[in-house]
Structures are given as C-alpha cells and as structure tokens.
Amino acid sequence: MILKEGSQRTTGEDARRSNIQAAKVISEILATSLGPRGMDKMLIDAFGDVTITGDGAAILKEMEIQHPAAKLLIEVAKAQDAEVGDGTTTVVVLAGRLLTAAEELLEEGIHPTIIIDGFKKASDFAAKVAEEIARPIQLTKEEMARVVINALSSKIVSEAKDYLAGIAVDAAFQAVEQRNGTPYLDLDWIKIEKKKGKSLYETQLVQGIVLDKEVVHPGMPKRIENAKIAVLDAPLEIEKPEWTTKISVSSPDQIKAFLDQEADILKKYVDHLAEIGANVVITQKGIDEVAQHFLAKRGIMAVRRVKRSDIEKLARATGARIITSIKDAKAEDLGSAGLVEERKVGEEKMVFVEKVQNPKAVTILVRGGSDRVLDEVERSMQDALHVARDLFRMPKIVPGGGAFEMELARRVREFARKLPGKEQLAALKFADALEGIPTILALTAGLDPVDAIAELRRRHDNGEVSAGVDVLNGKVADMAALNVWDPLLVKQNVLRSATEAAIMVLRIDDIIAAGAPKK
Ligand code: ADP
C-alpha cells in the first residue's frame, strides 16, 4: 500500500481520456454562447438566485465544477478575463477544440509528446501570422468606438450598443494617462454604479464619483460648492464595548452626566473636523444620531457606511488622505471637489461628488429596467472598457467573425507541410481546431457550417483575408466592410492561453486523487 486508503489512481490513456472529456464538456457548454447570436445560460446557485447571461466569464464563475481538468480550463479563462478582459468564451472553445483534435490523434496512435510539439510549432507560427494580419488603428474616439461596439454586440444590450460604446469610450479617454510616453488606462479610475431606471439610454457618464448613499440627516445641506471633504475610515459614534458592561449609577444626574460625556466626545470630533475646514464628511463607518445633529448644526454634509472601494476611489479622486483617527486629522488630509450634491436618481437618492481634483476619476451610472439588465450592462461595460484598455496598450486590430481564425488556419496548413511526418498531422489538426470558431459562429447564425467553412476557405485562398461569418445577417461576408474587429491583444492571448491549456491537459498521464477525509 503506497497510496492512502480511499485514494484513486487513473493512469495513461484513461487519465488522458477522462481529462479531455471533462474539458470538452465545458467547452461545449460555452460554445453555443459565442458571438452576437450566442445563446444565454440560466444559472441557478445553491440559494436559488438566478443569473442569466451569455458572458463566458460570468457563466464559468457561476458554474460549480468538480473535475480537476475542467477546473484547469476555467482557470485559463479567468486568467484571460483578468489580463485582457475579453475573449473568454473563445479561449475555452478553442482549447476544447484543440483537445478534441488531440484525442483523434491519440486514437491514431500518435504519442502525446509529438502532438504537443506539433501544437506548439503551429501556435508559434500562428502568432507571427497574427502580427502580419493585424492593422494599426488611430487612437481617436471614433476609431476606438468602432471596435468597442463589437465587444457589446454579443450581449443582451446590443440594441443600445452604439450609445453604450460611446459612453465607454468617453470614459476611457477621460481616464487615460501617459506613462513613459505611451497611453495607459487604469480602469480603477472608472467606477460603475447601477441604479434602476426606465431605460438603458438613461445610462450616463458622470464627471467624478457617484455614491449609492443618501445624506445622513435631513437637517444637513444637500448641496455644497467648493467642498472640503474629510474621508474617514473611523466612526462618528461611541463604540459599544464588545461584552456586556454594567455601569452602576445611583442617581438620575449620573445617567445624564454619562450621556453628556458621550455627547461631548462626539461634539469634540465634529468641532475638530469643522476647525480643519471640512464641510463634507464621508465615512466608511457609522455616524450616530448625536453626531449627525452636531454635524447638521455646523452645516456639514455627511454620508456614512460607504464601501471601502468607494472610499479609496474618493480619496484618490479628491486628493484626500483617508483619516483613521479623527482627533489627529489635519487640514491637508482633506480632499476637494467643486460640488458635492445629493440628487434623485429614479426613485432613490445618490450623492454626486463632482469637479474633483483629479479629472481622471469618472463614474458610469448604469440605468436599466431590471436587476438582470443592470448586471448585464455592467458586465458588457466592463468588457467594453477592457477592449479600450487593450487598444491603448496595443493599437492593433484583426478582423472578427472568425475571419482571423480562418486566415490563421490557412497559413498554418501551408506551414504544416514543412514539418516532419506526425508533427505535420498535429499542426494540420491545429488548423482544424482554429476553424472551430467560424464553425460555431456559422451555427449560431443558422448557417450550414460545412457550406460556410467551404466558402470561407475558398475566399481566403483567393486572398480575402477578412472574409468571415456575418452572424447578424446569416451569410459569409467581408468583416472589414462590416466593421467587425477584435483587438489583436485579445486574440494573441486567446491563441497562447488555449494552446497552453490544451498542452497542460495532454501532459497529464496520471491522476491520483485522495479519498474524501473521514468524518
Ligand atoms: P468572447 O467571450 O470570447 O469575447 P463573444 O461572445 O464576445 O466571446 O464572441 C466573440 C466573437 O464574436 C469574436 O470572434 C467576434 O469576432 C465575433 N463577433 C462579434 N460581433 C460580430 C458580428 N457582428 N458578426 C460576426 N462576428 C462577430
């Protein structure tokens, strides 16, 4: 007995087959969600909460996965999402196709090492071709919007895609900065806040930071110009002891004295904040009624229980230093904003901090009829912003709709001829796997995939580099003319990650699983 009791071991072919199957299942689930006509998934979690989405990253996040190889694929998709923020579905689908191809090769008796080498060579070559196919774009709002729109078109929000893309691009251009002479977009500058409303078209870009909070006391001002803001990570209340405490009093005067003392401490805090010049107080913690009263009397506007992430954004945007000890607060800790105002948004009130010191800080205030729409708009906005960031990082694009993959497949096939025997077979299969992307897009468009791929091959052989699947009109067409583009950075990452994931799965020839721990 070498392994602990209850452990399970699977080796060689069986191990590989089990892993490939698991990865294929994940890939097939996602495949039908690819592209603008992709289907949505309804995901129900253990608490019965329902999410409906067609966003690959979101689907994977909600699914409860057991199998280790399937989990590995999900890790790859998450990495893709974190690095470039788009192309998650594509990466999983491509990895699945590569593994299907590998399975066929294994069945023909080709050793995994040869398959891995063939895939690697094909992928390196494809990366070079990608550079050749890519076109540079001008970093203007118009050019960028044309690409960003595509990141929105596969989502529930597609009817409002021009409008939303415009907002995403405006936000990106406002937040972008120059670092070492190149543009750099830090997405932390762009806050997304959601509020129910009548329509998506009420979504707007706000210059500054919007807090989903109300001013804490009715007696406080609702609008303050030239605000000096104390951003606190400290409560304006007397903290209750952690355990039950008894205070012995022997007369009503003593109770009064005790309460007065509490009030006195709070008054001192408020007085100190007023003395250093604060006319707005925003805290992550609570503000009790007595403190609210003193603040109101001093004409200070206050907001409480603000999320940590918002507190940090606020500090960064207004130039404030986060105050953790009120009595030590100094005038230079205060942030500034041209205007802080509570406004009604739909049925609720929100606090707008505008004309902030750093004009890079903006908020996209997302509106929509239901929580599901709001969530989906938020996800697509994130995608759109990531595409903008990718384009600032590398202002190059490739034709979408599977045109890019078709062209790579064609070139990889040519290249494969130069490879020795069995590696050649692997490289050819790699090309087949690439064609998986246009095949699925054709399926979602209601086309016959065999006909579509045949036509695409013919057109690419004739030098039509951007012939792809026009998913919305159900035919093969020129993607450049239709303006369907994807950022090169996303596609490069897809290629690399999908190949790495497939290779990682192929390398495994032994699965040793420990038994469940004894109760
Ligand atoms: P991912 O999560 O991988 O980004 P999407 O569901 O966003 O997946 O689909 C992206 C794919 O859809 C890309 O291959 C892109 O080129 C393609 N696509 C997007 N819009 C269109 C369109 N209007 N016509 C054809 N293909 C499109």
Side-chain angles (χ1 to χ4, degrees):
M1 285 284 263
I2 294 175
L3 296 176
K4 219 168 130 190
E5 196 188 330
S7 299
Q8 272 192 344
R9 181 164 181 211
T10 323
T11 56
E13 275 306 287
D14 288 342
R16 217 168 269 123
R17 197 160 294 141
S18 148
N19 283 338
I20 290 177
Q21 283 311 330
K24 270 167 66 180
V25 170
I26 298 295
S27 151
E28 274 157 25
I29 292 176
L30 285 202
T32 57
S33 290
L34 187 72
R37 280 282 160 85
M39 295 289 161
D40 288 332
K41 309 284 170 193
M42 180 185 256
L43 301 144
I44 305 155
D45 70 10
F47 303 102
D49 287 338
V50 177
T51 309
I52 297 177
T53 179
D55 183 273
I59 297 171
L60 293 173
K61 203 155 66 198
E62 298 288 331
M63 276 196 303
E64 303 260 344
I65 303 293
Q66 271 278 325
H67 196 287
K71 279 191 184 152
L72 198 148
L73 211 54
I74 292 175
E75 288 307 315
V76 174
K78 279 194 192 146
Q80 172 84 18
D81 201 40
E83 269 168 51
V84 291
D86 199 22
T88 25
T89 315
T90 313
V91 79
V92 173
V93 170
L94 186 58
R97 290 275 165 161
L98 284 170
L99 285 167
T100 311
E103 199 178 28
E104 289 162 17
L105 294 164
L106 288 167
E107 267 159 26
E108 288 171 28
I110 299 176
H111 194 272
T113 312
I114 311 252
I115 303 175
I116 290 171
D117 286 349
F119 278 7
K120 259 199 203 144
K121 284 183 187 159
S123 161
D124 289 347
F125 178 76
K128 277 192 222 121
V129 177
E131 293 274 356
E132 286 174 34
I133 300 175
R135 286 194 193 178
I137 67 160
Q138 301 290 331
L139 286 175
T140 62
K141 285 190 180 179
E142 294 72 34
E143 287 273 289
M144 195 177 267
R146 288 199 297 179
V147 186
V148 166
I149 282 174
N150 276 311
L152 295 167
S153 58
S154 54
K155 311 286 144 57
I156 288 179
V157 301
S158 59
E159 45 143 346
K161 64 183 176 182
D162 293 295
Y163 181 71
L164 295 175
I167 289 180
V169 168
D170 282 347
F173 269 82
Q174 179 132 12
V176 74
E177 55 202 294
Q178 291 292 325
R179 280 203 191 165
N180 308 324
T182 46
Y184 175 85
L185 178 57
D186 180 351
L187 292 181
D188 276 346
W189 282 121
I190 305 172
K191 176 168 152 48
I192 298 184
E193 192 62 69
K194 299 175 279 187
K195 195 56 96 204
K196 260 192 214 156
K198 283 195 214 75
S199 107
L200 287 177
Y201 291 97
E202 286 176 322
T203 299
Q204 51 170 303
L205 183 65
V206 178
Q207 308 289 328
I209 300 225
V210 181
L211 301 171
D212 191 6
K213 292 282 164 195
E214 297 183 15
V215 169
V216 77
H217 189 278
M220 288 176 178
K222 298 284 188 294
R223 176 187 165 93
I224 292 206
E225 281 179 33
N226 297 322
K228 288 282 164 211
I229 310 169
V231 180
L232 310 183
D233 177 12
L236 270 167
E237 56 197 1
I238 303 294
E239 280 181 274
K240 303 282 175 284
E242 296 236 340
W243 45 80
T244 327
T245 329
K246 262 193 201 149
I247 303 164
S248 306
V249 286
S250 46
S251 73
D253 289 352
Q254 277 179 327
I255 300 179
K256 186 166 181 309
F258 180 72
L259 293 176
D260 282 352
Q261 196 193 350
E262 271 201 5
D264 206 42
I265 297 172
L266 290 172
K267 183 163 183 304
K268 281 202 182 112
Y269 280 167
V270 172
D271 286 347
H272 181 62
L273 288 172
E275 271 155 29
I276 62 170
N279 50 13
V280 176
V281 170
I282 298 177
T283 177
Q284 194 183 336
K285 303 277 169 60
I287 303 179
D288 83 8
E289 278 171 31
V290 180
Q292 289 175 23
H293 164 79
F294 289 130
L295 286 163
K297 251 173 72 178
R298 285 272 196 170
I300 297 176
M301 177 201 278
V303 182
R304 67 175 165 180
R305 298 196 211 291
V306 173
K307 276 190 300 196
R308 179 70 200 179
S309 58
D310 284 354
I311 287 284
E312 278 163 13
K313 286 208 168 83
L314 206 60
R316 207 173 155 198
T318 62
R321 208 168 317 145
I322 299 173
I323 297 166
T324 48
S325 159
I326 296 173
K327 65 180 188 326
D328 301 324
K330 293 184 210 55
E332 37 308 355
D333 295 337
L334 302 180
S336 54
L339 178 66
V340 181
E341 187 174 33
E342 180 189 84
R343 284 181 213 144
K344 256 190 118 172
V345 177
E347 293 302 304
E348 286 167 63
K349 291 172 188 153
M350 297 180 105
V351 173
F352 288 68
V353 182
E354 292 179 334
K355 300 182 194 154
V356 289
Q357 201 184 65
N358 199 322
K360 291 191 194 319
V362 291
T363 304
I364 297 176
L365 183 54
V366 171
R367 310 296 305 281
S370 73
D371 285 335
R372 301 238 158 89
V373 172
L374 287 178
D375 288 347
E376 192 69 5
V377 178
E378 180 183 19
R379 277 192 288 269
S380 348
M381 270 295 175
Q382 292 287 9
D383 282 358
L385 291 170
H386 277 96
V387 168
R389 190 187 64 176
D390 294 340
L391 290 173
F392 278 125
R393 252 158 69 182
M394 190 193 279
K396 286 188 177 171
I397 50 175
V398 296
F404 172 75
E405 287 83 0
M406 279 312 296
E407 186 62 16
L408 289 194
R410 185 182 74 80
R411 299 278 303 267
V412 167
R413 282 199 187 98
E414 283 175 6
F415 164 78
R417 285 196 218 120
K418 296 178 210 139
L419 293 176
K422 289 176 180 157
E423 265 182 28
Q424 181 180 106
L425 293 181
L428 288 173
K429 284 282 183 201
F430 189 93
D432 292 349
L434 285 169
E435 286 183 350
I437 303 297
T439 305
I440 293 166
L441 289 173
L443 275 169
T444 64
L447 289 169
D448 181 321
V450 178
D451 291 346
I453 294 295
E455 182 176 352
L456 282 167
R457 280 191 186 163
R458 186 174 53 72
R459 289 173 71 160
H460 278 260
D461 283 343
N462 288 338
E464 288 185 51
V465 176
S466 48
V469 181
D470 175 2
V471 175
L472 301 177
N473 298 306
K475 58 182 199 292
V476 169
D478 180 13
M479 293 294 120
L482 284 175
N483 245 321
V484 177
W485 300 99
D486 292 313
L488 173 64
L489 197 65
V490 172
K491 290 295 188 179
Q492 278 178 331
N493 227 57
V494 164
L495 211 56
R496 186 167 5 95
S497 307
T499 312
E500 274 169 16
I503 289 178
M504 220 180 320
V505 172
L506 284 174
R507 277 229 174 89
I508 301 167
D509 77 339
D510 212 334
I511 307 172
I512 302 160
K518 293 221 173 76
K519 300 248 164 68

